[in-house]
Amino acid sequence: MPFNTEKSAELHKRAYQVIPAGVNSNTRARKPYPYYFRRARGAEVWDVDGNRYLDLIMGNGAVILGHGDSRVQDAVARVLDTGLTIGVEWEGAVEVAEQFLRIVRTMDLVRFSNTGTEAMMHALHVARYATGRVGVAKAEGSYHGWSDEVFVSAWPDVNCLGSLDAPISLAGSAGLHPDAVNSVLVLPFNDIARTRALIEEHAHELAAVIVEPVLIDIGYIPATGEYLRALRQICTKHGIVLIFDELLTGFRLAPGGAQEYYDVVPDLATYGKALANGYPIAALAGCEELMRLTEPGNGPAFVGTFNGHAVSVAAASATLPLLADGSLQRTLAVRTERLRRAFAEAAEPLGIGAQLCGGGGHLQWYFTAVSIRDYRSAATTDARLYATFVAALANCGILVGSNPLSHQAISLAHDEHVLEELELAFHSGLEAVANARSAGQD
Ligand SMILES: Cc1ncc(COP(=O)(O)O)c(C=O)c1O
């Protein structure tokens, strides 16, 4: 344990009495206990013991400008005493929708909800209503939220995957409706021939194909442009709704997200996270024909007490203009590339077969020499070497995700000084890995 975290230990004992696992999202659980935090600013966070960490989690990629960005905080402060949840439409939401569509020019209309999970549920309702079909196809290893129809084959057990010709649909959690899980067709990411064969075989029952254009929840695994273009072509041919999950690619790969970056336009897309620099808001956007189906009438409902909430809308209204001209994305791309190079240059002389993959400020280390193109290749990462590496990073005061198939993120606040601190920590981490190997512990 690098720091004194006694207060976190005590708080965990208290928390455990009232909250299962002592945390409100299972991904925050840590052995022997999670750290509890009190403050975040820029690229730094402080725990309840007063320890300062350099943050590489950044709200699971949501905080793109840095924690507590004053422009966003000021906008939020201005609405705080105006009466927040009034159950009718907030004027600021109209301006944010206009801002959104000026940036994401490939989409015609947008509607706001609270979480990415909800936005994807709405997208599927629209797809089912529009096509009269039920089934959904998604890539093996992709995460699109925790609802029954999509929490399938997300971080699946590698011993149960089945053949690449017909990957098995595996529930991502206990308690999901088995019919929903079984109605999901799992596709081998980046494998055009097998994906085409599977979709064509099931086309008559498929309402939607969902794809995250870069698999970021399991690290950083870009689709090839050919793969996305093939999906577009197959979906158009069979009248299947193509949905991009842009929760993490949105606003980071390009102002208009992955669809701008790859020049492939889906029928619907979901957004969240960076949209409001970490304030809780998500969006469903799409072509007019499909989006208008969610208007009141006999079509799919689009409802929610907190939809377009004044606080999140205010945060989005201050964030979106900063994401509009592409300069922020260029800065993040340059910084990501610099970190990747620094890691490769430090790993190479030590003979460590590891790679730092990343783009748009998203990053992940894979301790494998295998080229990463899908879930199965990513899962060849050596979990013990990863654990050694991130433990050494923690000793340097870097806050990172402990799951080898997770992702890290930097923000605009990860400036020159921060990058230098990270590069030094990479050296320490790689030395720890090299020592563990020479001590025969690997
Ligand atoms: C790609 C992707 N899609 C969907 C979701 C679900 O979003 P939320 O946690 O807001 O429900 C996430 C969340 O991590 C995500 O990364």
Side-chain angles (χ1 to χ4, degrees):
M1 192 71 69
F3 306 124
N4 180 351
T5 52
E6 260 170 39
K7 287 188 182 157
S8 274
E10 280 164 28
L11 198 52
H12 181 242
K13 281 191 198 134
R14 258 178 64 202
Y16 195 78
Q17 301 307 312
V18 286
I19 304 171
V23 289
N24 287 299
S25 178
N26 281 356
T27 57
R28 298 175 199 162
R30 275 183 191 237
K31 295 277 179 219
Y33 50 83
Y35 305 152
Y36 291 85
F37 289 86
R38 183 165 283 166
R39 199 162 78 82
R41 186 64 73 217
E44 300 170 306
V45 290
W46 287 264
D47 68 14
V48 290
D49 287 276
N51 301 308
R52 170 266 189 197
Y53 304 79
L54 206 164
D55 190 2
L56 274 190
I57 295 179
M58 298 307 289
N60 299 330
V63 183
I64 190 169
L65 303 172
H67 294 294
D69 184 278
S70 58
R71 296 159 291 191
V72 179
Q73 296 305 92
D74 289 349
V76 167
R78 282 195 293 275
V79 300
L80 277 180
D81 65 353
T82 54
L84 299 173
T85 302
I86 46 176
V88 289
E89 200 58 44
W90 192 258
E91 63 172 341
V94 180
E95 187 196 328
V96 171
E98 288 165 350
Q99 288 174 328
F100 181 102
L101 294 172
R102 274 199 296 275
I103 297 174
V104 186
R105 285 190 290 253
T106 36
M107 300 280 95
D108 297 332
L109 295 172
V110 62
R111 273 186 129 173
F112 298 113
S113 62
N114 302 288
T115 66
T117 300
E118 280 171 70
M120 186 56 78
M121 287 162 76
H122 285 306
L124 293 182
H125 293 170
V126 172
R128 292 206 180 99
Y129 180 74
T131 60
R133 305 174 196 152
V134 174
V136 173
K138 69 170 285 289
E140 185 172 79
S142 66
Y143 178 65
H144 306 291
W146 43 263
S147 74
D148 294 39
E149 311 118 304
V150 292
F151 200 5
V152 175
S153 295
W155 297 280
D157 180 342
V158 286
N159 299 310
C160 307
L161 299 174
S163 83
L164 274 175
D165 288 322
I168 297 172
S169 305
L170 297 165
S173 160
L176 302 186
H177 198 301
D179 291 350
V181 175
N182 293 333
S183 75
V184 176
L185 177 70
V186 179
L187 304 172
F189 190 68
N190 268 338
D191 185 331
I192 296 177
R194 288 190 172 95
T195 293
R196 186 186 297 280
L198 281 164
I199 297 179
E200 294 205 323
E201 186 188 340
H202 294 271
H204 60 286
E205 61 204 32
L206 283 179
V209 169
I210 309 170
V211 66
E212 188 187 9
V214 183
L215 300 185
I216 298 181
D217 280 293
I218 53 170
Y220 195 86
I221 311 176
T224 61
E226 293 76 37
Y227 186 71
L228 294 180
R229 283 192 288 280
L231 286 182
R232 178 65 282 176
Q233 185 267 332
I234 303 166
C235 286
T236 303
K237 178 175 163 199
H238 294 285
I240 301 167
V241 175
L242 178 62
I243 305 171
F244 275 12
D245 180 337
E246 295 245 30
L247 261 285
L248 287 165
T249 51
F251 311 105
R252 277 189 179 259
L253 260 57
Q259 49 202 276
E260 177 183 336
Y261 182 82
Y262 283 100
D263 194 18
V264 177
V265 180
D267 302 304
L268 295 171
T270 56
Y271 299 81
K273 307 235 182 197
L275 168 54
N277 199 40
Y279 280 82
I281 189 168
L284 171 67
C287 64
E288 175 151 17
E289 186 190 343
L290 291 178
M291 289 297 292
R292 292 271 180 224
L293 297 177
T294 67
E295 291 180 351
N298 299 323
F302 197 104
V303 290
T305 301
F306 297 116
N307 284 6
H309 192 277
V311 167
S312 297
V313 157
S317 76
T319 305
L320 281 172
L322 304 170
L323 309 178
D325 72 0
S327 58
L328 178 145
Q329 289 81 359
R330 282 191 290 280
T331 302
L332 287 181
V334 167
R335 291 179 188 174
T336 309
E337 219 28 59
R338 171 175 159 175
L339 289 174
R340 292 188 62 194
R341 225 178 17 253
F343 181 82
E345 283 166 9
E348 212 251 357
L350 296 172
I352 297 173
Q355 45 197 306
L356 177 55
C357 297
H362 293 295
L363 298 159
Q364 182 60 344
W365 305 274
Y366 295 104
F367 284 84
T368 175
V370 168
S371 153
I372 309 292
R373 61 190 303 272
D374 58 9
Y375 178 70
R376 295 181 193 211
S377 47
T380 65
T381 189
D382 185 321
R384 280 182 307 158
L385 292 186
Y386 182 84
T388 303
F389 180 75
V390 297
L393 254 54
N395 276 325
C396 299
I398 314 290
L399 189 67
V400 284
S402 54
N403 178 348
L405 291 178
S406 63
H407 69 108
Q408 326 299 327
I410 59 170
S411 72
L412 206 56
H414 289 66
D415 59 14
E416 182 63 29
H417 296 301
V418 173
L419 296 189
E420 282 170 12
E421 193 177 333
L422 282 174
E423 286 166 7
L424 278 176
F426 288 178
H427 279 280
S428 304
L430 287 165
E431 271 163 27
V433 169
N435 291 340
R437 296 182 74 163
S438 56
Q441 291 164 6
D442 58 334

